[in-house]
């Protein structure tokens, strides 16, 4: 789908892409990187809108330097920022965008009705966009990227600004774009966690260079750390210690280190999760002790920990990633907790920390 | 065109509900030229509020009605008036008489055509499609010029129809009508360029409206005033050259020199064919300049 060969983009002051070589196949591919890592620059080059300083790139087998127009006919793009005029309806806007992609008028109208239905906009599509919620606007942006039935869509931060429920819906929708519609997806995000759930393949770039490219299953297998926080009760004035003892007795591996700087620091136990049974063990132990479960989340401290084979993980990214990783982990906890009603508290806590 | 897979099934039995799932599109993709035409027609319709909210139709439609109504009144006078041999207002003079209406129209519609796309960042969505920057600029420019031409040429058609109805000399009227059409065409292209440049440089719509009105009226007011002073001082040469400094007097100069118009300059001291060339060159340079500025403006606006 996308192939780049030592692609570089240099601006007078800054190098946005530095000899980036990628080969992305069909499916849902996540492109992860901090702000300024070169994600948007890469998308611009892939759409043939910005010439590369050196190196080559091809999308759908077409050279971006010479076949930009042909690429843009077959590719959809959803920008990160707001891009919708408030005073027209979603239908009118998407029909217009379909025609701008070369669809004849009748086909443009049919495809618009279909696409808006698929992204989940029904009666409201006849109302002016100005009155839409953020989630609905994101759907319209997605619809205009899909309306001409492209072979590939480039989605720039599609979950930006959405609440946790909206984010889950958007991620589910993105998954369906490939599984149901057969359209390959390149989706960027600075949250690794949400891409893990959606993507077949994840590419991590930083400072314009490739940090790691691997299939999602490769790194979901890595053992993870589980952060558990409980309340105190009358029978167990120090719930944390009681749980630590009970868990150790049950054979769970606890980390000695403690977390600083996060809410509940000092009251959080770090348990090594070896699989589903660890979640069950924690749940049962907490229930037996009769204390309240405040949180249970997956923790990963650094991207470097995920990509532990990568020797070049710079200290610079680590600091930035530390702030984000709990969010990714919280979603895992939320997902897991949904299967275990006992852990509702953990889910709520996790969601509460999700709003970025 | 592929086989007709997209026809909704069950048309014989309308009570059945089908979950037809996702349907891919394998019909024609008409490409860049078609997209440019679509943008042109959408912008042209938008300039009269068509395809937009009812509120946005009000002003352009009122202005259009005013342009036509005044022409109709002139026709009524010409038809009813005894012993008339020509229209009371010449074809080439009509746009100058109605300049306030044209200015208002441009000030209200040029910003809506380009400022909205810039302000709401819709421009990147256009450039992520087959069209290029030049297509966007050309389509927007052509649409604005066409909208102005419709506004200025329709009353001329009414005048011409009225003149024929009043049985004025056919050959004279047709020639003058054709000259009038050329004149308003030139005016439309010039004004559209100036209006779009000012609107594109001011993403806030209010500023764009104010800028267009200010440039058109202030420049015309200033030039006419100085011309009157120069005329009073007896320097007719200055009157002739001062007209270069406002868009409307430029058009006046060109049509006086080449299109048989009577100049609206004080004392009718319009440019001769010789100095008229300078006027024409100035108009063409302004049009080319507007286009160049627009192209520059959108160089950075993509994505």
């Amino acid at each position: 789908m996308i192939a780049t060969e030592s692609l570089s983009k240099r601006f007078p002051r800054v190098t946005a892409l530095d000899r980036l070589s990628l080969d992305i196949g069909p499916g849902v591919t996540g492109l992860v990187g901090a702000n300024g890592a070169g994600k948007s620059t890469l998308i611009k080059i892939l759409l043939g809108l910005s010439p590369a300083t050196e190196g080559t790139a091809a999308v759908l087998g077409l050279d971006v330097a010479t076949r930009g127009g042909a690429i843009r006919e077959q590719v959809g793009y959803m920008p990160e920022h707001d891009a919708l005029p408030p005073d027209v309806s979603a239908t009118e806007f998407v029909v217009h965008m379909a025609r701008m992609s070369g669809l004849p008028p009748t086909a443009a109208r049919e495809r618009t009705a279909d696409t808006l239905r698929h992204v989940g906009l029904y009666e409201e599509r006849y109302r002016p966009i100005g009155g839409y919620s953020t989630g609905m606007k994101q759907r319209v942006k997605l619809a205009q990227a899909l309306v001409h039935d492209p072979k590939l869509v480039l989605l720039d931060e599609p979950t930006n600004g959405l609440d946790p429920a909206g984010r889950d819906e958007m991620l589910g929708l993105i998954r369906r774009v490939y599984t149901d519609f057969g359209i390959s997806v390149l989706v960027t995000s600075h949250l690794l966690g949400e891409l893990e759930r959606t993507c077949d393949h994840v590419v991590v770039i930083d400072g314009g260079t490739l940090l790691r490219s691997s299939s999602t299953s490769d790194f979901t297998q890595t053992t993870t750390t589980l952060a558990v926080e409980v309340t105190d009760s009358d029978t167990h004035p120090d719930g944390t210690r009681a749980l630590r003892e009970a868990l150790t007795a049950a054979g769970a591996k606890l980390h000695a280190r403690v977390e600083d700087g996060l809410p509940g620091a000092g009251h959080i136990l770090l348990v090594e999760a070896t699989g589903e049974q660890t979640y069950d063990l924690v749940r049962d132990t907490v229930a037996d002790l009769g204390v309240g479960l405040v949180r249970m989340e997956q923790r990963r401290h650094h991207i470097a920990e995920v990509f532990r084979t990568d020797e070049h993980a710079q200290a610079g990214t680590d600091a930035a990633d530390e702030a984000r990783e709990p969010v990714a982990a919280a979603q895992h906890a939320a997902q897991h907790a949904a299967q275990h009603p006992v852990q509702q508290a953990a889910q709520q806590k996790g969601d509460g920390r999700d709003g970025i | 065109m592929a086989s007709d897979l997209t026809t909704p099934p069950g048309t014989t039995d309308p009570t059945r509900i089908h979950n037809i799932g996702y349907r891919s599109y394998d019909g024609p993709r008409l490409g860049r030229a078609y997209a440019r035409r679509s943008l042109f027609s959408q912008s042209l319709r938008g300039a009269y509020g068509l395809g937009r909210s009812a509120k946005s139709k009000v002003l352009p439609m009122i202005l259009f009605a005013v342009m036509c109504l005044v022409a109709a009144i002139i026709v009524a006078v010409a038809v009813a008036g005894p012993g008339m041999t020509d229209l009371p207002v010449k074809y080439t003079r009509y746009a100058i008489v109605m300049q306030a209406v044209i200015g208002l129209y441009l000030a209200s519609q040029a910003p809506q055509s380009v400022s909205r796309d810039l302000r709401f960042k819709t421009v990147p969505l256009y450039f992520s499609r087959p069209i290029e920057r030049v297509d966007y600029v050309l389509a927007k420019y052509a649409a604005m010029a066409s909208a102005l031409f419709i506004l200025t040429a329709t009353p001329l058609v009414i005048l011409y129809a009225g003149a024929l109805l009043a049985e004025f000399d056919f050959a004279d009227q047709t020639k003058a009508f054709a000259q009038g059409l050329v004149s308003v065409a030139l005016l439309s292209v010039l004004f559209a360029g100036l209006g779009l440049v000012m609107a594109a440089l001011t993403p806030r719509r209010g500023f764009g409206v104010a800028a267009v009105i200010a440039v058109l009226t202030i420049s015309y007011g200033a030039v006419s005033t100085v011309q009157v002073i120069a005329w009073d001082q007896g320097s007719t040469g200055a009157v002739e050259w001062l007209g270069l400094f406002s868009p409307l007097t430029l058009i006046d100069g060109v049509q006086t020199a080449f299109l048989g118009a009577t100049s609206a300059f004080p004392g009718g001291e319009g440019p001769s064919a010789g100095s008229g060339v300078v006027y024409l060159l100035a108009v063409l340079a302004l049009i080319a300049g507007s286009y160049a500025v627009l192209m520059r403006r959108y160089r950075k606006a993509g994505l």
Side-chain angles (χ1 to χ4, degrees), chain B residues 84-108:
Chain B
M84 297 282 271
T85 55
D86 199 357
L87 291 165
V89 175
K90 289 183 75 177
Y91 297 105
T92 44
R93 194 60 179 274
Y94 191 78
I96 293 173
V97 174
M98 301 299 284
Q99 59 163 303
V101 179
I102 299 171
L104 260 182
Y105 179 85
L106 184 67
S108 63

Side-chain angles (χ1 to χ4, degrees), chain A residues 67-80:
Chain A
R67 306 291 305 281
I71 290 171
R72 292 196 295 274
E73 199 163 76
Q74 303 283 348
V75 172
Y77 166 64
M78 172 179 172
E80 177 183 1

Side-chain angles (χ1 to χ4, degrees), chain B residues 177-234:
Chain B
F177 174 58
Q179 286 172 332
L181 284 186
V182 174
S183 159
V184 294
L186 202 59
L187 177 138
S188 302
V189 177
L190 175 67
F191 276 39
L194 295 174
L196 288 181
V197 164
M198 284 182 271
L201 296 178
T202 49
R204 297 304 296 264
R205 201 177 141 183
F207 293 148
V209 171
V212 174
I213 291 186
V215 167
L216 290 186
T217 57
I218 292 177
S219 68
Y220 182 76
V223 166
S224 327
T225 310
V226 178
Q227 274 180 332
V228 169
I229 294 170
W231 171 250
D232 282 346
Q233 307 270 322

Side-chain angles (χ1 to χ4, degrees), chain A residues 87 101-102 114 144 148-149, chain B residues 23 25 29-30 51 116 129:
Chain A
D87 55 348
S101 289
D114 271 15
Q144 66 79 29
H148 53 299
D149 192 27
Chain B
R23 294 178 296 178
Y25 176 76
R29 292 172 196 266
L30 304 175
R116 284 169 73 251
R129 289 163 202 273

Side-chain angles (χ1 to χ4, degrees), chain B residues 37-173:
Chain B
R37 277 200 308 279
S38 299
L39 181 59
F40 167 78
S41 65
Q42 190 251 9
S43 304
L44 178 55
R45 284 163 45 84
Y48 283 94
L50 303 171
R52 295 168 57 213
S53 63
K55 204 174 65 184
S56 53
K57 291 181 179 66
V58 174
L59 187 61
M61 287 305 181
I62 286 180
L63 295 177
F64 181 73
V66 168
M67 288 295 282
C68 294
L69 191 70
V70 173
I73 291 171
I74 293 171
V75 165
V77 169
V79 172
M84 297 282 271
T85 55
D86 199 357
L87 291 165
V89 175
K90 289 183 75 177
Y91 297 105
T92 44
R93 194 60 179 274
Y94 191 78
I96 293 173
V97 174
M98 301 299 284
Q99 59 163 303
V101 179
I102 299 171
L104 260 182
Y105 179 85
L106 184 67
S108 63
Q109 298 310 312
Q112 83 82 21
S113 178
V114 291
S115 306
R116 284 169 73 251
D117 285 351
L118 288 168
R119 172 138 180 243
F120 303 120
K121 296 186 183 162
T122 318
V123 176
L125 293 186
Y126 285 109
F127 292 142
S128 71
R129 289 163 202 273
I131 63 166
E132 306 276 345
R133 183 162 51 114
V134 53
D135 300 314
Y136 182 85
V137 171
L138 276 179
K140 285 287 181 189
Y141 199 149
M144 196 68 238
S146 305
L148 275 176
F149 185 70
I150 291 172
L151 184 78
T152 50
T154 311
L156 297 194
V157 173
I158 296 175
L159 288 180
Y160 181 59
L164 296 188
L165 209 66
E167 296 179 340
F168 297 150
D169 185 76
F170 179 77
D172 279 359
Q173 291 298 326

